[in-house]
Amino acid sequence: MIFEKILPTERMRENMVNKIVKEFNFVKTEKIGYSVCGRSIDLMSIGNREDSVLWIGAHHGLEWITTLLIFEFFYEMCEKIKFNKNICGIDLKDKFSKRGITAVPCLNPDGVEISLNGFESVPKSKLPIKNISDRFAAQWQSNANGVDLNHNYDAGWEALHKLEEKNNIFSPQHTRYGGNSPESEPETKAVTNLCRKNNFEYALAFHSQGEEIYWDYGDRTPKNSKKFAEIFSIMSGYTISKPEGLAVGGGFKDWFIEEFGKPAFTIEVGCGENPLPIEDFNKIYSRIKNALYFCALV
Ligand SMILES: [Zn+2]
């Protein structure tokens, strides 16, 4: 593995992107936006952007292991393309002349930085909670405004907002506060703008943990989503699940399905307590790798 022991801080992510671009001249990069604290939200893509799929990591700060997962898989895939390798008889060079993968490894750069490096990584004036102890930093799920990005999408947002209040969540905090309005956060806006400008075939959002895949939301869910989830489940051993309570609505998967009527999935990688330790990475990656190839190639 290339990136298995690397904590994906802002600096290390920059190194990873540079390494990938240097080694594989067919990879394109761009910045799709900036976080609350001005950190760039980077995109890498290969293949045909007209027929591309979208993979997103680290909606949640403490789930930075998903960023690593995307970088590792993207690198491995690029290496196979560069050296003309086949997967199950599929010529990757040929495949990616027709289809593409667009990856946003880290949607929540401030949240990841807080989880890995503490509250010092965010200017004090920005933080929604004053005098918070660094011992809570590792558990930080939200962005730097204290908004949970996966509660901030315009899909059942009002109902979710009411449910948040029922659960005594009224203001910015480390988790599950959906903001003042849908798409109030620059990170959420960056993704919705990206999706509206591109015609993605489907989307995957990686989270941790639970070894689960979620596939449905409302009556716009396409029929083939369930089949996709079933194959993913067989290949990875992950369970097919249905969201409940505060996990219903407001999320990226929900919004993508409702907005475009196309498949979108939440994949909860790994098992244990968040943040999953970096020592788990090898095990997580090995277990899910074949299923990721399936996702990349169908
Ligand atoms: Zn998550």
Side-chain angles (χ1 to χ4, degrees):
M1 283 202 216
I2 305 293
F3 302 124
E4 66 178 310
K5 297 271 159 55
I6 302 174
L7 291 172
T9 59
E10 182 176 26
R11 192 166 65 84
M12 296 319 289
R13 288 198 308 275
E14 201 181 312
N15 290 348
M16 290 185 221
V17 172
N18 289 342
K19 182 176 170 61
I20 286 172
V21 170
K22 201 169 148 200
E23 289 188 34
F24 310 112
N25 62 8
F26 49 88
V27 174
K28 295 188 179 74
T29 60
E30 65 182 77
K31 299 186 186 313
I32 62 164
Y34 293 87
S35 69
V36 171
C37 296
R39 293 187 167 96
S40 68
I41 301 169
D42 298 312
L43 172 153
M44 304 182 293
S45 66
I46 52 174
N48 181 7
R49 273 292 273 280
E50 302 300 309
D51 180 16
S52 192
V53 298
L54 175 65
W55 293 19
I56 303 177
H59 266 84
H60 291 139
L62 79 175
E63 298 172 5
W64 44 260
I65 210 157
T66 59
T67 297
L68 211 50
L69 185 94
I70 291 183
F71 272 116
E72 186 71 37
F73 185 77
F74 201 86
Y75 185 94
E76 193 180 307
M77 182 74 104
C78 289
E79 206 172 33
K80 286 196 166 31
I81 295 169
K82 182 174 174 179
F83 296 110
N84 289 317
K85 295 276 170 52
N86 288 348
I87 294 265
C88 301
I90 298 170
D91 177 336
L92 292 184
K93 214 170 215 165
D94 179 57
K95 179 79 189 172
F96 285 104
S97 66
K98 297 170 195 132
R99 112 88 55 98
I101 296 187
T102 301
V104 178
C106 183
L107 181 65
N108 182 3
D110 298 339
V112 165
E113 216 59 26
I114 291 171
S115 183
L116 290 172
N117 284 328
F119 294 110
E120 264 177 30
S121 47
V122 170
K124 274 211 167 65
S125 58
K126 295 259 191 235
L127 265 186
I129 307 165
K130 304 298 166 205
N131 305 319
I132 187 165
S133 159
D134 251 351
R135 89 196 140 87
F136 300 111
Q139 310 296 328
W140 194 264
Q141 178 154 315
S142 304
N143 71 352
N145 282 338
V147 175
D148 188 323
L149 299 179
N150 218 36
H151 282 221
N152 191 232
Y153 290 90
D154 195 4
W157 186 91
E158 294 289 343
L160 181 65
H161 193 64
K162 286 199 179 93
L163 203 56
E164 285 166 10
E165 293 187 342
K166 255 191 169 165
N167 283 270
N168 290 322
I169 301 166
F170 295 98
S171 58
Q173 57 169 42
H174 70 291
T175 180
R176 300 185 304 171
Y177 172 65
N180 284 330
S181 58
E183 292 189 29
S184 59
E185 302 309 296
E187 296 90 348
T188 319
K189 266 252 168 304
V191 172
T192 52
N193 286 342
L194 177 74
C195 292
R196 286 178 183 123
K197 273 192 273 174
N198 292 267
N199 191 18
F200 295 119
E201 287 303 313
Y202 76 83
L204 294 184
F206 291 91
H207 290 253
S208 72
Q209 52 79 41
E211 299 192 335
E212 293 167 295
I213 178 165
Y214 296 86
W215 59 275
D216 65 339
Y217 180 74
D219 24 329
R220 297 258 292 154
T221 308
K223 283 199 178 72
N224 55 356
S225 291
K226 192 173 178 206
K227 194 94 226 141
F228 185 104
E230 281 168 356
I231 297 171
F232 187 93
S233 167
I234 290 165
M235 294 187 82
S236 60
Y238 280 27
T239 309
I240 299 173
S241 298
K242 265 193 180 295
E244 288 169 359
L246 278 166
V248 179
F252 169 73
K253 161 185 79 58
D254 313 327
W255 173 78
F256 191 92
I257 291 171
E258 195 162 275
E259 179 87 4
F260 304 111
K262 286 183 173 182
F265 306 88
T266 297
I267 298 175
E268 296 277 0
V269 307
C271 200
E273 198 176 314
N274 280 328
L276 294 176
I278 194 147
E279 291 75 24
D280 282 9
F281 181 70
N282 207 325
K283 195 173 65 189
I284 292 170
Y285 188 71
S286 308
R287 179 148 194 208
I288 205 179
K289 191 169 87 168
N290 287 343
L292 295 182
Y293 273 111
F294 157 72
C295 294
L297 297 174
V298 294

